């Protein structure tokens, strides 16, 4: 399947992504194919992931950017929906105002309140997305799905993918991509170890001051760790670290109350 990625979480990318997922389009692509990268202006490129420089990954080891292989064209801005469909939805979202202030504004413009309101909504929502045949800057366009047909853009994207075979990654590009995957896996393993250590400490605390005989040996067997590792993990973290949370947000095992912490501070 052709992989799609977005450089940011810009409004255009979010709307397109949701519409494409809603479309349910599928495609096939060979292993080690390039990713289709989509930018905020809906320009596209074939790319592969590339780890950021080491100094930029201190807080996020798997942080990566993109190595662009080739530009892939662009999608047009989504077209306006039919006005017969737009106006009921717009007026439901923005009802016609009433009251003395609205009356004064309408009188100043020489229009009825409803005419004034529709004019304001038209300026805000229904501006032209093009200057001639050139796409306008995205900051000058309202991309609300009420007025813009993102399903049409999703179909355009699906047609592009069906018509274009992604380039295969070169040997160098495969190293770039696999380097990111490896660091992601290593980070996931490290986070799993940290979580397991916290669970073990919480379980040990639930035993009270005197754990039952052989409890450390059971922790060793359950965790698959060596005894020195179990001892180090149990000794790490301090007594008042945050508890591991269950799916419903409730703490698993031992937690401290404010009174407990006051007692330990004395």
């Amino acid at each position: 399947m052709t992989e799609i990625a977005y450089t940011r979480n810009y409004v255009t990318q979010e709307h397109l992504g949701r519409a494409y997922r809603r479309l349910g389009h599928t495609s096939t692509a060979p292993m080690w194919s390039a990713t289709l990268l989509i930018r905020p202006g809906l320009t596209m490129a074939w790319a592969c992931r590339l780890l950021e420089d080491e100094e930029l990954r201190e807080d996020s080891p798997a942080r990566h950017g993109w190595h662009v292989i080739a530009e892939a064209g662009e999608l047009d801005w989504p077209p306006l929906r039919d006005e017969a469909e737009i106006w009921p939805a717009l007026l439901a979202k923005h009802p016609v105002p009433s009251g003395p202030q609205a009356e004064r504004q309408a009188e100043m413009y020489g229009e009825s309140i409803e005419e004034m309101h529709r004019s304001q909504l038209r300026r805000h929502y229904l501006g032209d997305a093009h200057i001639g045949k050139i796409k306008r800057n995205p900051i000058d366009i309202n991309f609300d799905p009420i007025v813009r047909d993102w399903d049409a853009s999703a179909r355009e994207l699906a047609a592009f993918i069906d018509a274009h075979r992604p380039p295969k990654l070169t040997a160098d590009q495969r190293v770039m991509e696999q380097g990111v995957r490896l660091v992601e896996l290593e980070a996931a393993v490290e986070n799993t170890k940290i979580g397991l250590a916290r669970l073990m400490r919480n379980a040990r605390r639930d035993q009270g001051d005197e754990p039952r005989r052989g409890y450390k040996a059971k922790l060793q067997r359950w965790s698959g760790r060596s005894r020195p590792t179990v001892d180090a993990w149990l000794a790490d973290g301090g007594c008042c670290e945050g508890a591991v949370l269950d799916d419903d947000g409730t703490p698993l095992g031992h937690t401290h109350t404010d009174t407990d912490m006051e007692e330990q501070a004395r």
Side-chain angles (χ1 to χ4, degrees), residues 141-217:
I141 306 166
N142 191 300
F143 291 109
D144 195 309
I146 290 178
V147 297
R148 295 282 166 185
D149 187 359
W150 284 101
D151 291 336
S153 294
R155 291 191 294 270
E156 184 183 358
L157 175 58
F160 174 88
I161 292 172
D162 289 340
H164 294 81
R165 185 183 181 92
K168 293 211 67 169
L169 300 184
T170 65
D172 287 350
Q173 292 159 3
R174 294 181 188 191
V175 173
M176 297 177 196
E177 184 70 35
Q178 196 71 351
V180 176
R181 291 178 185 173
L182 178 58
V183 174
E184 287 176 339
L185 289 172
E186 290 174 339
V189 169
E190 188 61 29
N191 288 335
T192 301
K193 288 180 179 180
I194 292 171
L196 177 58
R198 293 175 62 194
L199 287 168
M200 289 168 63
R201 287 192 290 272
N202 284 339
R204 166 62 185 82
R205 290 173 191 143
D206 283 349
Q207 295 293 306
D209 294 336
E210 294 294 334
R212 64 181 182 268
R213 184 178 179 83
Y215 190 69
K216 278 191 178 182

Side-chain angles (χ1 to χ4, degrees), residues 17-26 151 154-159:
R18 281 195 290 267
Y20 185 75
R21 290 191 295 272
R22 190 165 56 244
L23 181 64
H25 178 257
T26 58
D151 291 336
R155 291 191 294 270
E156 184 183 358
L157 175 58

Side-chain angles (χ1 to χ4, degrees), residues 220-242:
Q220 178 184 348
R221 180 167 61 85
W222 295 338
S223 65
R225 302 294 93 186
S226 66
R227 183 57 180 266
T229 297
V230 170
D231 289 339
W233 283 2
L234 291 177
D236 192 21
C239 189
C240 295
E241 70 172 288

